[in-house]
Amino acid sequence: MGVKGLQYFMDCCCPESCVTVDLREMASQHVARNATTADSTGPTLVVDGMACLCHWYTCKDWLCGGQWREYLDVLKNWVEAFTSAGIRLVFFFDGVVEEQKRQEWVKRRHRVNREISKIFHHIKAHGEQPGRERFCLPSGLASFTRFALTSLGQEVFCSVREADYEIASYARQHGSLGILGQDSDFIIYNSAPYLSVAKLRINSLTTVMYDRQKLCRATGLAVTQLPVLACLLGNDVVSEKQMQHIRSNAMATYRKNNPAPHSGAPQGQMVLAVSQFVSSLWGRQEEETGHIPQSLNLSPPQRELLRKGICSYLLPGQEDPHQGDISAHPSTAAFEKYVSPEILKACREKHVAAEGYMVYNVLCEGVAECSNTLEDEEDAELLPQALVYKPCRQHIYALLLGHDGSTVDTPAMKEWFVYPGNPLREPDLVHPVPVSLPCDHPSLDVLWFGTGPNDSALRLTSFLTIFGCQDFSELYGAIEVSLLAALCLVTYIVLEVQTLSQEDVDAYLSQSVCLSIKSPQELQQIKLPFLSSRAVQLGSLYVRGLSHLLGANCASGCPLPNAALMPWQSFDGRLFHSKYLLAHTGAEKTVLLDGDSSRLSLFLHLREKLIETCKKRGRILQSRPRSSAPEQSHKTTPGPRYRDRHTGWPSGGGGEEWKQRGEMTGGPRHGGGWRERGEMAGGPRHGGGWREGGEMAGGPRHGGGWRERGEMAGGPRHEGGWRERGEMAGGPRHGGGWRERGEERRDQSECENRERLGERGGHRGGGMRGGQSRGRLYSSRGRYQLAPRWSQPPAPGT
């Protein structure tokens, strides 16, 4: 978020602080200044990757799941523009959402959800992608961008604390040329120059530098007083509301002393007013800025919050004597007693080097999170991706934490996943579920470090079993690894989503098979007669699934190369959408496979394997073609929302339809009927009936009623919008993800697009038709609350 109103103040009220610079000239001057030093790295720009995402993703199509090959070309050209000028790049991405910023992260996730609702209303009303004003980054962009940059030979880091802090610290420590980003926090840190990515002209390599010294002259402050200004104006640590009374008093004094107000908007006056207040109060003090004067009208909690906020800007070597070394970060892992020190060390190293995904967040933070995903909250058939992939995550948790195959004493994982209807008041508590391996459960040390003759096969078996696809081990080495991954993912989706049809499977598999023979130019030229809101959701569902494949691969010791799991290897949004429309109009398979006989043969082979595996688990694919008429595809499918389906209440004609369809994550592969499976992964596998299974992994067992538990695995709280810190926080952060933060770091109008994208979880970051807002879904949840003592849903009207 940065500092409230400061970016606007610099851009609109303090033009002298905005200096246009030529990065080539800056680099030449940097080389000249350091000619006699041992600096061999050359001029280095530290890049805030999350802030760049919306500037990097310039592909015309952003709604269908992502134009990943085109995006890879964009990144390559962007990097080459700097390297050809002799400028070295170092990228940082959000790796965690710090708990002190969780509430701000939640507010942004809700805001992005409202925007997503508007996007789907537009699709269903017009059958086309809305304009750029509704731009939303493709799901998982932050997480996969890290791997893309690494594949381009770039140095990439994933943070273990607030990414802004790590960026500023690295830049200061290494004497970097500057920080390229879009967050006014960077002018508060006493570090390298802050350069705007929003104003970057890549062809000329010119941009705007926000001059810290000139800002201080305009406000009458010293550089060491800027952290106080930031906290009183409001930032991610100290909310704007907390210091409202101080700003009001400062503004009243300012207007009294300045009868002719500063020209410009009230935001500009507020920055000047608070600056004068800071200068008058702290200027009289002989003590350090980190000391909070007693004359300041603050309660003890507010005083402590302000102190923490100020100290959060102090970099290594800038410690306040009163506070000690505040740069030290707790090193205790959340679940260190469940794994060896070697595992924790390797886990952290891979995370920091942006080579891992999800694992660090699980083992060291005890949290999994994911930012917003493009999914329609009004859709009555498709479950949110957070629930679709919940069983797979439970297996990943068990693989990481169940050292002997048992998860009896393993604590629940906190999940912050964004999905329609989740208020994010507290995390969902999700319990691990062991995978059923044909051998004894291996230790994590064996999976990660084992060199025995059977260890490689054990890693592959563990990975495939997480998705119920152990039968596919015979395909390893017989087909491309990226196709094996795609087959595994589509099979898992079929097992978990009972409404997935034969046509949907044909669309998924045909586009994966055909992608390898398409150039980025051919993919851009694909014509779509109209857009289907359902196909948009299925595209995002697939890409989110790729991030789960990545997490499972890292947990299993990487039996597959991570490069094979990237979306540009098996998915293109426009290609998938075109195959979806063809499949649902009954196109011949030869047409679906572009008339390529070898591709057709491979497609039929993969489909046969999928159908066989599904049949073994009682899942029979059926043909359910959907009308291709645009006017019909725009209509909202009537029926209950997914949240209503999970309450156990009859919907429409009763609950029998949902019982027969088994439409709960866990599907037929877990056995049992709708009630018997426990409605959510965690049913009979954990013992007990509907109530005992917990309605959601960890239901009543954690106390409280249905509503109190958050209606999702374990109730009070934590989604992490499908985070983004992107996109799983863990990996990405991240969102997502996951910081999936990439959409939130901008001020005023510069920030609007980023706040819609939902990939920067917690650090950066619409009305419905007829005036119905998503808030209605939240406020009405109590109507379907289950009393804690009910063992099964009561009849309507009880």
Side-chain angles (χ1 to χ4, degrees):
M1 178 183 79
V3 181
K4 183 69 175 180
L6 185 57
Q7 188 79 55
Y8 174 87
F9 176 79
M10 291 186 293
D11 285 331
C12 303
C13 306
C14 188
E16 61 269 29
S17 68
C18 306
V19 182
T20 300
V21 294
D22 185 313
L23 295 179
R24 288 188 177 90
E25 290 182 6
M26 285 184 66
S28 298
Q29 294 167 6
H30 179 92
V31 171
R33 285 196 305 269
N34 294 277
T36 59
T37 68
D39 181 11
S40 60
T41 59
T44 300
L45 267 184
V46 186
V47 182
D48 179 359
M50 301 305 296
C52 295
L53 292 175
C54 58
H55 302 286
W56 285 335
Y57 193 88
T58 55
C59 310
K60 182 179 179 181
D61 189 297
W62 47 267
L63 190 58
C64 296
Q67 300 298 105
W68 294 95
R69 291 196 169 183
E70 180 184 352
Y71 178 61
L72 203 58
D73 282 347
V74 170
L75 287 179
K76 181 179 179 181
N77 293 334
W78 196 90
V79 166
E80 286 180 348
F82 287 93
T83 55
S84 64
I87 299 174
R88 171 175 168 257
L89 300 173
V90 175
F91 298 87
F92 277 81
F93 288 83
D94 286 333
V96 297
V97 175
E98 294 189 325
E99 282 310 305
Q100 64 183 356
K101 298 192 175 186
R102 180 62 67 186
Q103 290 309 308
E104 184 63 33
W105 183 87
V106 168
K107 285 194 294 185
R108 290 168 184 166
R109 302 288 70 74
H110 287 324
R111 184 163 63 243
V112 174
N113 270 345
R114 290 192 291 271
E115 294 300 322
I116 289 175
S117 177
K118 293 177 182 178
I119 289 172
F120 276 99
H121 286 160
H122 183 95
I123 299 171
K124 290 181 283 190
H126 304 287
E128 64 183 16
Q129 178 176 281
R132 194 75 178 182
E133 71 279 0
R134 293 245 180 269
F135 173 70
C136 181
L137 290 183
S139 300
L141 192 75
S143 302
F144 294 118
T145 298
R146 301 199 301 262
F147 290 91
L149 290 168
T150 300
S151 73
L152 295 174
Q154 298 304 294
E155 190 171 0
V156 183
F157 294 100
C158 196
S159 72
V160 295
R161 60 183 300 179
E162 165 62 35
D164 292 353
Y165 180 91
E166 293 195 13
I167 290 169
S169 178
Y170 182 97
R172 177 182 172 85
Q173 180 182 350
H174 293 85
S176 299
L177 182 67
I179 296 171
L180 185 63
Q182 200 63 37
D183 190 325
S184 51
D185 277 327
F186 291 129
I187 205 166
I188 304 299
Y189 288 109
N190 189 3
S191 182
Y194 164 34
L195 304 165
S196 171
V197 68
K199 300 181 186 298
L200 173 68
R201 299 295 174 262
I202 194 66
N203 292 331
S204 61
L205 284 187
T206 59
T207 187
V208 167
M209 178 182 74
Y210 294 103
D211 193 303
R212 191 174 292 109
Q213 296 297 334
K214 291 182 179 179
L215 173 66
C216 287
R217 284 197 290 271
T219 57
L221 296 176
V223 171
T224 55
Q225 292 175 318
L226 290 178
V228 185
L229 172 67
C231 293
L232 294 183
L233 288 174
N235 56 21
D236 279 348
V237 178
V238 184
S239 71
E240 188 180 9
K241 182 179 179 181
Q242 290 276 4
M243 300 294 148
Q244 178 63 55
H245 65 292
I246 292 180
R247 289 194 305 278
S248 297
N249 292 337
M251 181 62 88
T253 302
Y254 174 80
R255 287 174 174 166
K256 180 180 178 180
N257 297 333
N258 297 270
H262 184 280
S263 61
Q267 297 99 315
Q269 297 179 38
M270 180 62 75
V271 172
L272 289 175
V274 175
S275 296
Q276 288 187 9
F277 173 78
V278 170
S279 181
S280 65
L281 192 60
W282 268 264
R284 297 196 301 265
Q285 300 295 323
E286 297 297 329
E287 300 173 86
E288 294 77 13
T289 302
H291 176 73
I292 311 299
Q294 290 300 322
S295 58
L296 206 58
N297 183 22
L298 293 174
S299 66
Q302 288 175 324
R303 187 175 296 274
E304 176 62 17
L305 182 63
L306 181 58
R307 183 194 67 79
K308 287 182 177 179
I310 293 171
C311 290
S312 70
Y313 288 108
L314 301 181
L315 301 173
Q318 302 173 338
E319 287 75 33
D320 181 349
H322 290 288
Q323 311 302 332
D325 185 4
I326 55 89
S327 66
H329 194 60
S331 58
T332 302
F335 295 140
E336 63 180 349
K337 74 175 186 177
Y338 295 95
V339 292
S340 68
E342 292 76 18
I343 289 291
L344 290 177
K345 181 175 182 292
C347 172
R348 190 182 192 282
E349 289 175 352
K350 285 183 174 294
H351 173 83
V352 170
E355 296 174 358
Y357 185 79
M358 191 190 297
V359 174
Y360 173 85
N361 299 78
V362 171
L363 293 180
C364 298
E365 301 291 326
V367 173
E369 57 202 13
C370 183
S371 189
N372 308 77
T373 299
L374 279 171
E375 48 196 10
D376 184 5
E377 68 174 9
E378 294 182 342
D379 190 287
E381 293 186 346
L382 292 175
L383 280 174
Q385 58 82 20
L387 305 186
V388 171
Y389 295 113
K390 181 184 170 187
C392 128
R393 292 195 302 277
Q394 289 180 291
H395 289 327
I396 293 174
Y397 303 155
L399 198 65
L400 292 172
L401 300 172
H403 36 180
D404 58 355
S406 169
T407 57
V408 174
D409 65 338
T410 305
M413 188 64 53
K414 295 179 181 179
E415 287 194 346
W416 292 93
F417 277 70
V418 178
Y419 49 86
N422 184 7
L424 296 175
R425 285 193 287 265
E426 54 197 355
D428 295 336
L429 300 179
V430 179
H431 289 270
V433 176
V435 292
S436 300
L437 295 174
C439 57
D440 291 338
H441 193 282
S443 70
L444 204 56
D445 293 82
V446 170
L447 282 177
W448 285 24
F449 309 129
T451 58
N454 299 321
D455 291 339
S456 294
L458 185 59
R459 293 183 189 106
L460 180 62
T461 300
S462 299
F463 169 81
L464 294 175
T465 304
I466 287 173
F467 299 95
C469 297
Q470 48 270 42
D471 293 346
F472 294 161
S473 58
E474 63 188 41
L475 295 176
Y476 182 73
I479 60 175
E480 294 179 19
V481 178
S482 59
L483 282 180
L484 175 61
L487 177 62
C488 184
L489 178 55
V490 176
T491 301
Y492 176 87
I493 296 174
V494 172
L495 291 171
E496 297 298 331
V497 182
Q498 296 300 294
T499 54
L500 211 70
S501 68
Q502 182 68 68
E503 288 77 14
D504 300 329
V505 170
D506 289 349
Y508 274 140
L509 294 182
S510 62
Q511 75 90 30
S512 293
V513 167
C514 291
L515 181 61
S516 62
I517 58 174
K518 301 285 186 183
S519 68
Q521 293 70 32
E522 289 177 304
L523 295 172
Q524 294 173 44
Q525 293 167 5
I526 292 175
K527 304 296 182 184
L528 299 174
F530 66 93
L531 295 188
S532 159
S533 63
R534 186 170 183 274
V536 168
Q537 289 192 86
L538 290 179
S540 292
L541 180 65
Y542 183 92
V543 175
R544 283 300 190 196
L546 288 175
S547 67
H548 283 77
L549 285 180
L550 189 57
N553 195 53
C554 292
S556 303
C558 293
L560 307 181
N562 282 337
L565 308 179
M566 297 299 112
W568 47 88
Q569 296 290 349
S570 68
F571 184 82
D572 177 86
R574 289 188 72 80
L575 181 61
F576 169 72
H577 216 99
S578 68
K579 300 300 184 185
Y580 177 92
L581 297 179
L582 281 173
H584 279 278
T585 54
E588 295 290 335
K589 297 299 181 286
T590 52
V591 175
L592 203 58
L593 276 298
D594 300 334
D596 188 311
S597 58
S598 63
R599 298 285 117 184
L600 175 61
S601 176
L602 179 57
F603 164 81
L604 294 175
H605 178 59
L606 297 180
R607 190 173 73 153
E608 181 183 3
K609 291 293 183 182
L610 181 150
I611 292 174
E612 288 177 359
T613 297
C614 291
K615 279 183 178 179
K616 290 180 181 179
R617 289 157 178 77
R619 172 72 161 96
I620 307 299
L621 266 178
Q622 305 210 357
S623 173
R624 284 194 294 270
R626 294 169 183 265
S627 171
S628 61
E631 61 273 10
Q632 292 191 27
S633 71
H634 302 167
K635 296 179 182 178
T636 301
T637 305
R641 295 185 184 181
Y642 86 91
R643 175 73 73 185
D644 300 325
R645 304 198 306 252
H646 285 268
T647 63
W649 285 79
S651 181
E656 189 63 21
E657 177 187 1
W658 294 110
K659 178 178 179 181
Q660 291 174 353
R661 288 163 63 182
E663 195 156 336
M664 290 292 166
T665 62
R669 82 173 172 133
H670 299 293
W674 188 79
R675 176 186 174 194
E676 294 168 89
R677 284 198 304 279
E679 274 107 57
M680 290 310 292
R685 289 178 291 183
H686 299 294
W690 191 83
R691 177 189 177 195
E692 294 168 9
E695 282 119 68
M696 293 293 175
R701 292 173 291 183
H702 298 289
W706 190 83
R707 179 184 180 191
E708 295 171 344
R709 287 194 306 279
E711 284 128 334
M712 283 300 40
R717 220 225 57 112
H718 205 93
E719 192 287 273
W722 228 87
R723 145 217 223 203
E724 198 250 271
R725 249 171 299 213
E727 39 356 60
M728 267 304 159
R733 223 161 187 3
H734 170 248
W738 228 109
R739 203 195 287 193
E740 270 178 258
R741 191 170 103 181
E743 69 281 350
E744 296 296 349
R745 284 244 196 106
R746 307 171 73 176
D747 249 24
Q748 305 288 332
S749 60
E750 298 251 62
C751 193
E752 290 177 0
N753 281 347
R754 275 196 67 184
E755 291 181 347
R756 292 189 180 105
L757 57 87
E759 282 292 345
R760 184 145 192 158
H763 303 321
R764 312 173 181 185
M768 315 264 280
R769 260 182 308 204
Q772 178 185 356
S773 72
R774 187 165 159 210
R776 223 176 122 186
L777 182 59
Y778 299 153
S779 62
S780 65
R781 292 165 62 236
R783 293 184 301 163
Y784 303 110
Q785 178 177 348
L786 295 182
R789 296 181 182 277
W790 286 347
S791 61
Q792 60 184 14
T798 299

